[in-house]
Amino acid sequence: DTGVSQNPRHKITKRGQNVTFRCDPISEHNRLYWYRQTLGQGPEFLTYFQNEAQLEKSRLLSDRFSAERPKGSFSTLEIQRTEQGDSAMYLCASSLQIEETQYFGPGTRLLVL
Amino acid sequence: QKEVEQDPGPLSVPEGAIVSLNCTYSNSAFQYFMWYRQYSRKGPELLMYTYSSGNKEDGRFTAQVDKSSKYISLFIRDSQPSDSATYLCAMSQYSSASKIIFGSGTRLSIRP
């Protein structure tokens, strides 16, 4: 499968715990995006990278959220001290800089108890 | 007020009907307009992409953008049960390979 992959697909955690998600983009895609989607809503932009550089970060993203793309390939999204309001689907997408299409992965569904 | 407004539906139509989906937006700086389709428990997939105002047709799908009214539409002709999904309008200021603002999605059901 050459699409965007995300792991884990599901994560249940207790409030206050840290969680980390991984995204593997389509090979050679230099842009990588993170979005969050809650039930009945569209995806909400969190941040995006060009290669290893983080180009933009949403003002809605609190200091508990951090994303990295250390070698310009896969990316991780970490949430520290999780809260119940963090429960959502976390979507990753990738694209070429010159292309019009962002290709989305299947998402990681997070439930914070 | 949200930057992008979309009627959440649900919308239910019989097979073969023409479907019209719409969004309005408030940010006049948006230049790139997209429609994504999302099946249950899947990530969104791009259906249509339009730059600035105008119409674009791709098979049974037609996208329209009216920047003067800040209004975009997606028409689906000869709708099929396989078209049942959530349709998300989306827009971007600088390019579609950057930050995208999504509508809340319209859930569409096509009855056989």
Side-chain angles (χ1 to χ4, degrees):
Chain A
D1 188 347
T2 57
V4 177
S5 62
Q6 293 188 245
N7 288 287
R9 294 292 309 278
H10 303 274
K11 179 71 177 179
I12 300 174
T13 191
K14 292 182 179 179
R15 189 176 54 186
Q17 297 295 304
N18 298 343
V19 293
T20 300
F21 309 139
R22 175 177 170 128
C23 172
D24 287 273
I26 293 172
S27 179
E28 299 181 357
H29 276 191
N30 56 355
R31 290 205 169 177
L32 185 148
Y33 314 80
W34 285 100
Y35 294 84
R36 176 174 63 189
Q37 186 174 25
T38 54
L39 199 60
Q41 299 298 314
E44 177 184 38
F45 172 81
L46 294 178
T47 188
Y48 84 103
F49 295 84
Q50 178 164 304
N51 300 314
E52 64 274 11
Q54 190 171 20
L55 295 188
E56 187 170 352
K57 184 176 175 180
S58 170
R59 288 172 291 176
L60 300 174
L61 216 58
S62 76
D63 291 342
R64 297 184 297 106
F65 287 73
S66 63
E68 293 183 341
R69 195 182 183 199
K71 296 183 179 179
S73 57
F74 72 92
S75 175
T76 57
L77 177 69
E78 182 184 18
I79 309 174
Q80 296 182 327
R81 305 181 304 281
T82 52
E83 301 172 357
Q84 287 184 325
D86 297 331
S87 295
M89 173 79 85
Y90 290 82
L91 291 163
C92 175
S94 72
S95 77
L96 291 170
Q97 181 181 352
I98 58 172
E99 213 177 60
E100 62 197 35
T101 306
Q102 291 187 22
Y103 295 88
F104 281 81
T108 294
R109 188 174 295 276
L110 172 67
L111 178 61
V112 182
L113 300 175
Chain B
Q1 183 187 5
K2 291 184 178 181
E3 281 189 280
V4 180
E5 298 279 357
Q6 183 174 10
D7 187 337
L11 181 62
S12 180
V13 301
E15 183 176 356
I18 296 175
V19 176
S20 172
L21 303 169
N22 311 290
C23 287
T24 59
Y25 63 95
S26 57
N27 187 348
S28 57
F30 286 140
Q31 298 268 35
Y32 299 83
F33 303 91
M34 293 143 277
W35 286 94
Y36 279 80
R37 178 174 62 195
Q38 186 173 27
Y39 292 111
S40 181
R41 301 188 181 281
K42 301 279 189 181
E45 58 177 334
L46 181 67
L47 266 182
M48 299 285 287
Y49 163 86
T50 310
Y51 170 69
S52 195
S53 283
N55 295 355
K56 186 173 183 178
E57 188 173 323
D58 184 1
R60 296 184 297 110
F61 298 90
T62 300
Q64 290 185 350
V65 175
D66 181 349
K67 290 188 69 179
S68 63
S69 303
K70 297 191 181 68
Y71 188 87
I72 71 170
S73 302
L74 177 71
F75 298 95
I76 308 174
R77 291 184 300 280
D78 187 25
S79 55
Q80 305 293 312
S82 59
D83 295 328
S84 298
T86 296
Y87 289 79
L88 299 153
C89 63
M91 28 203 100
S92 179
Q93 185 172 348
Y94 300 110
S95 113
S96 57
S98 64
K99 171 183 175 181
I100 290 178
I101 306 298
F102 284 87
S104 57
T106 298
R107 191 158 21 137
L108 173 66
S109 177
I110 309 297
R111 306 189 303 270

